[in-house]
């Protein structure tokens, strides 16, 4: 590809080496500059880069998601082996690391993107390791001439890290001939190709809509090397997520309340707009609200740690999910 139409500045951005148009560049994060530059075993790379710690955190902090975790480990393995090749001076083409995360809301896509940014940074594939999460509104303007500056500004902030575009299919609206999303896509295409050594783009959204989006934009599809599908959580995993969320806020279920919450989940999963872990968090927030209201209604009662940290079954069963009314997200 020739000179990029849009080149986003970033300090320390790698300069391609080798013959023009060859597609070859120095192995990312040359040994003298990158982490684990003197490593010659997988263990040495993992230890010196601390990638092993990130993978352990991913396994420990995220419930379920076994297929996703396995794929992240595969990508990490590729990067570690590339690091060992670079340390021996073996010429290598910089790997394409742009990704697609598909799945329903609340399945951990943003959390995994954060971990992926850490892995890429610790292995020297991005300079900073930060994550910039955006939607269409951050990239596309409403008037002529607004989209390019918006998109370039977002890309400038993301350089050296990972750009996470949620519900990326909203960038493309072919039914509206005056829509400016296509301009943002064209800029993204240029930067994803010409500055892939300094930016990783993750496009995310519902699987069916993302599939349609890629079919309509083959240029984007061809630049995505890794497709990760995030499955919905089964009820048992959602209950474990509830336990962890409560523990993080120093709450716990009263005897019988956990069974009531499991019953709540069985009803809620079948209702519209269920969003996996996000819906679990929202349900617990409302249970805490009911607990607070229940205790507030007893102004003369002396409250100890037991009362202040316990979610009762009644706090959960008061949800409209248990009532025979129209579907609700309460």
């Amino acid at each position: 590809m020739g000179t990029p139409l849009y080149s986003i500045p970033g300090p320390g951005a790698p300069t391609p080496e080798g013959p023009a148009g060859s597609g070859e560049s120095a192995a990312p994060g040359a040994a003298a500059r990158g982490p684990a530059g003197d490593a010659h075993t997988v263990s040495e790379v993992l230890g010196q880069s601390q990638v092993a710690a990130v993978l352990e955190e991913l396994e420990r902090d995220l419930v379920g998601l076994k297929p996703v975790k396995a794929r992240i480990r595969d990508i990490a393995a590729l990067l570690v082996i590339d690091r060992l090749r670079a340390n021996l001076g073996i010429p290598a083409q910089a790997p394409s690391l742009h990704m697609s995360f598909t799945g329903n809301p609340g399945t951990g896509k943003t959390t995994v993107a954060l971990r992926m940014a850490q892995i890429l940074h610790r292995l020297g594939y991005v300079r900073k390791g930060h994550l910039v999460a955006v939607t269409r509104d951050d990239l596309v303007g409403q008037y002529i001439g607004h989209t390019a500056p918006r998109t370039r500004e977002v890309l400038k902030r993301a350089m050296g890290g990972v750009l996470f575009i949620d519900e990326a299919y909203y960038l493309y609206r072919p039914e509206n001939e005056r829509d400016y999303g296509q301009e943002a896509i064209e800029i993204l295409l240029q930067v994803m190709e010409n500055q892939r050594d300094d930016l990783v783009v993750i496009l995310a959204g519902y699987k069916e809509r993302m599939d349609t989006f890629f079919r309509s934009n083959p240029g984007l599809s061809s630049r995505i090397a890794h497709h990760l599908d995030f499955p919905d959580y089964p009820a048992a995993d959602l209950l474990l997520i509830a336990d962890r969320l409560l523990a993080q806020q120093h709450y716990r279920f009263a005897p019988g309340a956990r069974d009531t919450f499991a019953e709540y989940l069985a009803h809620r999963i079948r209702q519209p707009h269920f969003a996996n872990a996000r819906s679990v968090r929202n349900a617990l927030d409302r249970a805490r609200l009911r607990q607070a209201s229940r205790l507030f209604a007893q102004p003369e009662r002396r409250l100890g740690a037991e009362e202040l940290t316990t979610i009762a079954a009644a706090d959960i069963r008061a949800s409209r999910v248990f009532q025979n009314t129209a579907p609700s997200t309460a």
Side-chain angles (χ1 to χ4, degrees):
M1 185 172 289
T3 303
L5 297 176
Y6 299 94
S7 182
I8 308 301
T15 303
E17 298 178 1
S22 68
E24 294 267 335
S25 62
R33 295 183 289 110
D38 58 349
H40 295 287
T41 70
V42 169
S43 293
E44 288 174 347
V45 176
L46 291 175
Q48 294 177 28
S49 65
Q50 298 184 325
V51 166
V54 179
L55 294 174
E56 288 170 5
E57 290 171 5
L58 186 70
E59 185 64 40
R60 182 182 66 247
D61 296 344
L62 279 181
V63 172
L65 297 180
K66 289 185 178 179
V68 173
K69 291 175 181 177
R71 189 63 187 276
I72 294 298
R73 286 186 175 274
D74 288 344
I75 295 171
L78 171 67
L79 302 182
V80 168
I81 296 304
D82 272 4
R83 167 59 55 205
L84 291 172
R85 289 167 54 90
N87 290 351
L88 291 177
I90 301 173
Q93 184 174 8
S96 178
L97 294 169
H98 303 308
M99 305 178 193
S100 167
F101 287 4
T102 55
N104 290 326
T107 49
K109 296 186 291 294
T110 306
T111 301
V112 171
L114 283 165
R115 293 287 192 268
M116 195 70 243
Q118 291 178 313
I119 291 171
L120 293 169
H121 174 56
R122 294 186 183 192
L123 286 171
Y125 284 86
V126 292
R127 290 178 288 111
K128 300 177 183 178
H130 65 300
L131 181 79
V132 174
V134 299
T135 62
R136 171 193 163 91
D137 290 344
D138 300 296
L139 299 167
V140 181
Q142 296 181 342
Y143 307 102
I144 293 175
H146 285 196
T147 295
R150 273 193 174 194
T151 302
R152 285 198 295 265
E153 178 58 32
V154 167
L155 288 165
K156 183 178 179 180
R157 285 194 286 120
M159 277 296 152
V162 172
L163 175 62
F164 182 88
I165 306 177
D166 198 16
E167 297 185 308
Y169 32 76
Y170 286 131
L171 290 175
Y172 182 68
R173 291 180 174 173
E175 70 281 359
N176 184 356
E177 61 182 22
R178 298 185 63 184
D179 184 71
Y180 305 114
Q182 189 61 40
E183 184 179 1
I185 291 174
E186 290 170 1
I187 297 172
L188 280 171
L189 284 171
Q190 288 285 331
V191 174
M192 288 170 70
E193 180 66 24
N194 291 287
Q195 295 182 261
R196 62 181 182 175
D197 288 345
D198 201 35
L199 177 71
V200 171
V201 176
I202 299 178
L203 305 176
Y206 289 104
K207 180 172 175 51
E208 289 185 3
R209 294 186 187 181
M210 289 298 293
D211 289 344
T212 302
F213 176 61
F214 285 134
R215 285 196 296 271
S216 302
N217 296 273
L220 270 177
S221 179
S222 66
R223 286 166 173 79
I224 300 297
H226 306 283
H227 293 262
L228 282 73
D229 186 39
F230 289 66
D232 288 334
Y233 286 104
D237 283 352
L238 292 170
L239 200 53
L240 289 175
I241 290 171
D243 290 335
R244 293 189 179 190
L245 289 173
L246 283 179
Q248 288 170 8
Q249 300 180 73
H250 305 286
Y251 282 86
R252 65 180 182 82
F253 286 121
R258 193 174 190 271
D259 291 339
T260 303
F261 194 75
E263 187 181 346
Y264 167 91
L265 288 173
H267 290 293
R268 183 67 185 89
I269 287 172
R270 296 194 296 267
Q271 295 184 353
H273 311 300
F274 181 68
N276 289 278
R278 195 174 303 163
S279 289
V280 170
R281 183 187 64 220
N282 292 341
L284 292 176
D285 284 345
R286 285 188 287 269
R288 290 177 54 222
L289 182 66
R290 297 185 193 105
Q291 182 240 30
S293 296
R294 174 170 54 81
L295 297 177
F296 185 78
Q298 307 172 59
E300 304 304 323
R301 181 183 176 186
R302 186 180 181 88
L303 300 174
E306 179 76 14
E307 293 83 5
L308 295 172
T309 59
T310 300
I311 300 296
D315 300 327
I316 299 164
R317 197 166 289 281
S319 168
R320 284 178 292 174
V321 166
F322 288 100
Q323 301 174 14
N324 294 323
T325 59
S328 167
T329 59

